[in-house]
Amino acid sequence: MFGIHDLALFIVSGLLLNIAPGPDSLLIMTRSATQGWRAGCTAALGIGAGTFVHIFAAALGLSAVLATSSAAFTVVKLAGAAYLVWVGIGMLRSRATDAPLEARADAPVLAYRRIFMQGFLTNALNPKVAIFFLAFVPQFIAPDAPNKALAFVVLGLIFNLNGMLWCNFLAVFTALASRRLRVGARVSTWLNRAIGGVFVALGVKLALSRQT
């Protein structure tokens, strides 16, 4: 159908790739641990929305431009790196409050709209995701597929659905684990700072990475 082959292998591979830790997972876990599962799921929805950008960009051939144009790749890469560093610095500057994490679950530090945009921009501004779609998805599209763009979109939607299932599970699991561990305000603040440092490191690594 649509010129797609080895669909089961694609689904399993996509799920494993989604489970692999990265900036998206770190953001979801941080928001869930410090603000509850709703905040984590909101970040996950933002990440899913960002993935749509890469799906349709790749289907339209824009990812090919990123793969072949070092200038375009550099511009998007630096924008994504700058945003990761900005988010990381914000986490590093976080301060503890007197109330424990459980009491602050209904009073999130960040508005859900801002959390959604964090997830969206963290994913949409990462050119590595665009290159990944260009390299991974075509392996499951037959050379004689009647409509390669449509096949690309279908596979991208399946991949994003897998990702949303995992990301929302991660958000709920992290929130529940945080409650059981009774993470206090100071601990959650240091968690924010630790992961903020990871985000800064990821941003620097992305800025220094080379086009492959």
Side-chain angles (χ1 to χ4, degrees):
M1 185 181 296
F2 304 113
I4 297 171
H5 60 85
D6 296 323
L7 181 59
L9 177 60
F10 174 83
I11 292 174
V12 173
S13 300
L15 183 59
L16 292 175
L17 289 167
N18 277 307
I19 291 175
D24 294 345
S25 298
L26 290 173
L27 180 62
I28 292 169
M29 293 175 70
T30 301
R31 295 275 69 88
S32 290
T34 58
Q35 296 181 227
W37 68 268
R38 291 182 180 84
C41 289
T42 300
L45 290 175
I47 289 165
T51 302
F52 279 122
V53 173
H54 296 294
I55 291 172
F56 290 103
L60 295 174
L62 296 182
S63 290
V65 175
L66 291 180
T68 58
S69 171
S70 58
F73 181 88
T74 300
V75 169
V76 178
K77 178 186 70 174
L78 292 178
Y83 182 74
L84 284 176
V85 171
W86 182 75
V87 171
I89 291 175
M91 291 180 176
L92 286 171
R93 296 176 62 187
S94 63
R95 295 181 179 180
T97 60
D98 294 332
L101 174 61
E102 295 87 339
R104 293 184 292 116
D106 296 328
V109 177
L110 297 180
Y112 288 144
R113 179 180 299 179
R114 183 175 176 185
I115 294 172
F116 179 89
M117 289 306 300
Q118 274 191 347
F120 176 80
L121 293 174
T122 297
N123 188 280
L125 292 178
N126 188 348
K128 293 292 187 179
V129 179
I131 301 301
F132 159 77
F133 270 102
L134 189 65
F136 177 69
V137 177
Q139 298 181 44
F140 299 90
I141 300 176
D144 57 350
N147 192 329
K148 292 183 175 62
L150 178 59
F152 208 115
V153 170
V154 170
L155 288 173
L157 293 176
I158 293 173
F159 181 89
N160 204 14
L161 175 61
N162 279 342
M164 286 298 92
L165 292 174
W166 166 252
C167 287
N168 282 279
F169 167 79
L170 183 63
V172 174
F173 175 81
T174 302
L176 292 176
S178 297
R179 289 180 181 178
R180 284 184 173 274
L181 293 173
R182 300 186 63 83
V183 179
R186 292 187 181 278
V187 175
S188 64
T189 297
W190 281 107
L191 174 64
N192 253 335
R193 291 175 178 174
I195 297 182
V198 174
F199 264 72
V200 172
L202 287 170
V204 173
K205 181 179 179 181
L206 179 60
L208 297 177
S209 64
R210 297 181 178 181
Q211 183 179 7
T212 56

